[in-house]
Amino acid sequence: MQLAKIIAALKTEPIRVDGSATCEITALTHDSRQAGPGTLFVALPSVTPGRTGEAGGARFILEAVEKGAPAVLTAADLEVPRATVVRVADPRAALAEAAAVFYGHPSLQLQTAGITGTNGKTTVTFLLKHLLDVAERPCGLIGTVRYVVGPRELPAARTTPESDDVQRLLREMRDVNCRAAVMEVSSHALDQGRVRGVEFDAAVFTNLTQDHLDYHETMESYFAAKSVLFDQLASQTHKRGTAVINIDDRYGRRLYDSIGQRVKTVTYGQSSNAMFRATDLRTDLHGTQYSLHAGGKSYLVRLPLIGPFNVHNSLAALASMQALGHDVRKSVDALKDAPQVPGRLEMVPGPKTFRVFVDYAHTPDALENVLRTLRSLEPQRLITVFGCGGDRDKAKRGPMGRAAEELSDLCIVTSDNPRGEDPEAICRQITASLRGRNHETIVDRRAAIRRAVALAGPGDIVLVAGKGHEDYQEFADRKVPFDDVAEAASAIRGRAA
């Protein structure tokens, strides 16, 4: 594809083009390590919490050109020997637009659903992929746990990758005969325009609770970032997408009030005016059952996942299936065989005298919801192991500690992913908010898990929270293998021995 064709497709008009636009572009990347002959290298500005830097990827331009890249797109006013320089005001927007045209607008050939919100994104994407697969719409997936492209499963670098990677993955899905794609859309991705150029058939809002304030700074800014997905839905050129909104959530109601007149909308929840409404919830160790009321009909839903929050997640998936044109009754029937979502209230195999669960809950709201769900199972005791990540929103450490203390019989405060912070200091910040004596601090996460399992008696439940599916622990100078499910299983075996 000629560079001129890519430039002509940009809505973000170039300020200046220095050099020939007739060069042939055979690859597109924002990563100079992947540059080579035929590559258009896009130098992205650096991002710090709340603001965008001026330099960032510009310092990698020479490296990309030395590797053979014939063209560069940047905001920097630079002269680059041996390469055409396309200067734009907003390289992130230009990257997204260039990637969409370079990869042939793959979202237009797929039924595409985007899921955003603080909690529930991963579970909704897994449920929706399952329902689409059963409905004979082979479905790809982009999300926190993994990327799925046809028969291939790829490690996820982050929840929503950069826009060129998003478009490439969608194109690969199309090329292996996927007919649908579901993706988690993070607030960072929306703020940075990573799904710009993707046209959605359905956009889902799950909820909004405190998280990522190290980046967004205020809940209003966080909500504004999430709302970008629905503003984009309303302004699409080719698809008339549907917004699927949880109106039990106060931010969901705000979103519905602001977007409801601009796009087709389906609501879900337990509220009496929800279009997909759940009543008569029942949960046990084997799963959840509820009555669904939708479109003047009622259905009995059996879900092999535990908890009221998974009722909302399944409602989101069912409402999305209807928005995508699929039969509700068939979708309800398919839910009974839904897969376990890795690290989402995942039961660790072991003796039935006590139970151990691993969950990704890493916000106050998520931790409280999981603990209330486990408490509803009426354990003899509920023992919680949790910590808080370093270099992230510090304001949630106290609320998480109080939720764990209030709803657990014993909570063991430990290290999560301390990153650049002192793990002991993070634990002290958590315990400073605790009022009672039903807690211990064991900084070593492996030792904390072993301690919790060793203390578990008949009828007890142990929750290991915070890291879920992650298979590593991240420190300031290293990332080491660490899997909560594997560690809990090892602790159970060690106790038996």
Side-chain angles (χ1 to χ4, degrees), residues 278-399:
T279 63
D280 305 320
L281 281 60
R282 283 179 282 176
T283 293
D284 60 26
L285 282 167
H286 304 290
T288 304
Q289 180 175 298
Y290 64 91
S291 296
L292 167 66
H293 309 279
K297 298 180 180 178
S298 295
Y299 310 85
L300 178 62
V301 179
R302 292 186 174 89
L303 180 70
L305 304 179
I306 298 171
F309 53 91
N310 278 321
V311 170
H312 279 85
N313 293 334
S314 63
L315 286 171
L318 291 169
S320 297
M321 286 296 285
Q322 186 197 58
L324 296 173
H326 297 278
D327 182 73
V328 174
R329 186 170 296 282
K330 291 180 180 178
S331 297
V332 166
D333 185 60
L335 264 187
K336 70 179 187 301
D337 299 315
Q340 168 68 60
V341 183
R344 271 59 178 180
L345 211 52
E346 182 175 353
M347 189 184 297
V348 181
K352 294 183 179 180
T353 52
F354 64 92
R355 303 283 184 170
V356 180
F357 291 89
V358 168
D359 193 82
Y360 190 53
H362 60 282
T363 67
D365 182 72
L367 183 58
E368 180 176 342
N369 284 337
V370 169
L371 287 169
R372 289 194 183 281
T373 292
L374 294 178
R375 179 61 73 188
S376 73
L377 300 177
E378 300 182 349
Q380 286 293 321
R381 289 191 308 165
L382 179 54
I383 302 170
T384 302
V385 179
F386 83 104
C388 293
D391 299 336
R392 297 294 187 269
D393 182 4
K394 296 182 181 180
K396 67 184 182 182
R397 293 174 184 174

Side-chain angles (χ1 to χ4, degrees), residues 3 11 31 170 240 246 337:
L3 177 61
K11 297 176 183 177
D31 186 343
L170 292 174
R240 184 172 179 263
N246 173 13
D337 299 315

Side-chain angles (χ1 to χ4, degrees), residues 178-434:
C178 287
R179 299 177 66 189
V182 295
M183 61 188 299
E184 296 182 51
V185 186
S186 69
S187 58
H188 295 71
L190 289 163
D191 187 58
Q192 296 169 22
R194 295 185 214 157
V195 295
R196 187 182 178 119
V198 178
E199 294 217 5
F200 293 96
D201 296 276
V204 180
F205 180 87
T206 61
N207 51 63
L208 195 78
T209 62
Q210 182 179 336
D211 200 12
H212 304 308
L213 296 190
D214 55 311
Y215 180 91
H216 296 291
E217 297 182 348
T218 67
M219 288 298 292
E220 284 303 306
S221 295
Y222 186 23
F223 177 60
K226 294 293 189 184
S227 299
V228 167
L229 178 61
F230 301 89
D231 293 332
Q232 182 173 320
L233 189 74
S235 61
Q236 290 180 167
T237 303
H238 299 93
K239 291 183 177 180
R240 184 172 179 263
T242 300
V244 179
I245 299 174
N246 173 13
I247 57 168
D248 286 351
D249 181 86
R250 66 188 181 98
Y251 286 99
R253 292 192 297 273
R254 280 182 57 182
L255 179 63
Y256 175 74
D257 289 340
S258 67
I259 203 75
Q261 301 302 314
R262 298 166 56 197
V263 297
K264 181 181 178 183
T265 304
V266 178
T267 61
Y268 69 92
Q270 292 179 260
S271 303
S272 59
N273 57 341
M275 298 176 191
F276 275 66
R277 181 185 175 214
T279 63
D280 305 320
L281 281 60
R282 283 179 282 176
T283 293
D284 60 26
L285 282 167
H286 304 290
T288 304
Q289 180 175 298
Y290 64 91
S291 296
L292 167 66
H293 309 279
K297 298 180 180 178
S298 295
Y299 310 85
L300 178 62
V301 179
R302 292 186 174 89
L303 180 70
L305 304 179
I306 298 171
F309 53 91
N310 278 321
V311 170
H312 279 85
N313 293 334
S314 63
L315 286 171
L318 291 169
S320 297
M321 286 296 285
Q322 186 197 58
L324 296 173
H326 297 278
D327 182 73
V328 174
R329 186 170 296 282
K330 291 180 180 178
S331 297
V332 166
D333 185 60
L335 264 187
K336 70 179 187 301
D337 299 315
Q340 168 68 60
V341 183
R344 271 59 178 180
L345 211 52
E346 182 175 353
M347 189 184 297
V348 181
K352 294 183 179 180
T353 52
F354 64 92
R355 303 283 184 170
V356 180
F357 291 89
V358 168
D359 193 82
Y360 190 53
H362 60 282
T363 67
D365 182 72
L367 183 58
E368 180 176 342
N369 284 337
V370 169
L371 287 169
R372 289 194 183 281
T373 292
L374 294 178
R375 179 61 73 188
S376 73
L377 300 177
E378 300 182 349
Q380 286 293 321
R381 289 191 308 165
L382 179 54
I383 302 170
T384 302
V385 179
F386 83 104
C388 293
D391 299 336
R392 297 294 187 269
D393 182 4
K394 296 182 181 180
K396 67 184 182 182
R397 293 174 184 174
M400 285 184 68
R402 289 190 290 274
E405 181 183 45
E406 177 187 344
L407 294 166
S408 306
D409 296 288
L410 171 65
C411 54
I412 300 176
V413 178
T414 189
S415 182
D416 191 283
N417 289 319
R419 302 183 181 91
E421 290 192 63
D422 176 5
E424 293 187 5
I426 295 174
C427 290
R428 285 196 296 271
Q429 289 179 11
I430 296 170
T431 57
S433 68
L434 306 185

